[in-house]
Amino acid sequence: MTLTRLPRVDRLTLATVTQVPEAHPEFAVFEPFPVHAWVIRHPDGIVLFDTGIGLGHPDIDEWYHPESTTVADALAAVEVDVADVAAIVLSHLHFDHCGQVQSFDAPVYVQADEVSVSAEPGYTVPEWADIAPARLRQVHGDDEILDGLRLLSTPGHTPGHQSIVLDAAGEQVVLAAQCAYRADELRSGQPSAANARDPSWLAAAEASLARVRQLAPCSVHFSHDATVLDLSVP
């Protein structure tokens, strides 16, 4: 079965990060940034893409001063209940993307490469990224998990970063998450060194941007930039 129309997508703003520590690559040019997640109203069930920052972690609160909301409240604002979520996709396992995954019982789709790297000290908040084996669905590269909903491997920011492609009626929407930190990176096809895991991942980041650009989606959404790009017109 092929989707005959694109499903409705609601963007949630789960937090605003109001500061970063000196070690952060954006410290010198820092401006407060949003933390987005998305509700996809697929005919087979509601899919949530990312879960934002967890609440009440003393180090995260000290270093980032996030102005956060609970994912339950954000969902309620778009008339969705936590129990309505049939599946969760995590773009990656940094603390600001997986922080409230424990609020759900739904299965969670994560790239296997991301699961492996998340065990590194300092990579994330371990208790936020610890997904019970019964819920965890490890993905190996691209994978269509529902009709017209494809997970797209887009490493660079992290080894296992993934985006979502929605495809219906000849149109595509990409939820690019942190494949690019700013929309301008995707416009130009040039990744920011600050958004790459380290310099050795810049080539992978550039290839991931190229993958998204080749799709020529009618809209592209980002985790930390409110801009929505239309790449369907040259």
Side-chain angles (χ1 to χ4, degrees), residues 86-88 105-112 115 131-140 143 145 151 162:
I88 296 169
D105 296 321
V108 184
Y109 292 82
V110 188
Q111 289 287 327
V115 175
I131 302 163
R135 296 179 61 202
L136 182 61
R137 306 290 188 269
Q138 295 198 47
V139 184
H140 299 269
D143 191 5
I145 62 170
L151 307 184
Q162 62 184 352

Side-chain angles (χ1 to χ4, degrees), residues 91-94 114 117 123 154-161 195 197 201:
S91 61
H92 60 298
L93 291 174
H94 281 168
E114 190 69 11
V117 76
Y123 187 85
T154 48
H157 176 60
T158 70
H161 188 281
N195 193 53
R197 173 171 164 83
W201 284 90

Side-chain angles (χ1 to χ4, degrees), residues 133-195:
R135 296 179 61 202
L136 182 61
R137 306 290 188 269
Q138 295 198 47
V139 184
H140 299 269
D142 298 353
D143 191 5
E144 186 171 23
I145 62 170
L146 293 171
D147 290 331
L149 193 162
R150 176 162 53 106
L151 307 184
L152 184 73
S153 175
T154 48
H157 176 60
T158 70
H161 188 281
Q162 62 184 352
S163 305
I164 286 180
V165 180
L166 300 172
D167 191 345
E171 290 189 308
Q172 293 184 319
V173 168
V174 175
L175 308 180
Q178 205 169 337
C179 174
Y181 181 71
R182 295 182 178 87
D184 283 345
E185 296 167 42
L186 187 59
R187 280 196 190 100
S188 67
Q190 297 300 311
S192 163
N195 193 53

Side-chain angles (χ1 to χ4, degrees), residues 25-221:
E26 292 282 333
F27 178 77
V29 294
F30 172 76
E31 295 181 358
F33 60 81
V35 177
H36 294 140
W38 296 269
V39 173
I40 303 164
R41 299 175 188 262
H42 192 277
D44 292 337
I46 288 177
V47 178
L48 177 65
F49 188 31
D50 281 351
T51 64
I53 301 175
L55 279 68
H57 191 286
D59 291 337
I60 297 301
D61 290 348
E62 178 183 353
W63 295 334
Y64 296 93
H65 285 195
E67 297 173 352
S68 300
T69 187
T70 67
V71 68
D73 285 347
L75 288 171
V78 294
E79 300 182 329
V80 174
D81 189 85
V82 166
D84 297 333
V85 175
I88 296 169
V89 177
L90 295 179
S91 61
H92 60 298
L93 291 174
H94 281 168
F95 76 90
D96 52 333
H97 297 261
C98 69
Q100 297 187 57
V101 72
Q102 311 300 348
S103 300
F104 302 86
D105 296 321
V108 184
Y109 292 82
V110 188
Q111 289 287 327
D113 286 346
E114 190 69 11
V115 175
S116 297
V117 76
S118 68
E120 293 180 358
Y123 187 85
T124 188
V125 177
E127 60 268 31
W128 293 354
D130 184 19
I131 302 163
R135 296 179 61 202
L136 182 61
R137 306 290 188 269
Q138 295 198 47
V139 184
H140 299 269
D142 298 353
D143 191 5
E144 186 171 23
I145 62 170
L146 293 171
D147 290 331
L149 193 162
R150 176 162 53 106
L151 307 184
L152 184 73
S153 175
T154 48
H157 176 60
T158 70
H161 188 281
Q162 62 184 352
S163 305
I164 286 180
V165 180
L166 300 172
D167 191 345
E171 290 189 308
Q172 293 184 319
V173 168
V174 175
L175 308 180
Q178 205 169 337
C179 174
Y181 181 71
R182 295 182 178 87
D184 283 345
E185 296 167 42
L186 187 59
R187 280 196 190 100
S188 67
Q190 297 300 311
S192 163
N195 193 53
R197 173 171 164 83
D198 61 48
S200 70
W201 284 90
L202 273 171
E206 185 172 358
S208 292
L209 295 181
R211 294 197 77 194
V212 175
R213 287 164 57 88
Q214 283 179 335
L215 295 171
C218 60
S219 63
V220 186
H221 302 250

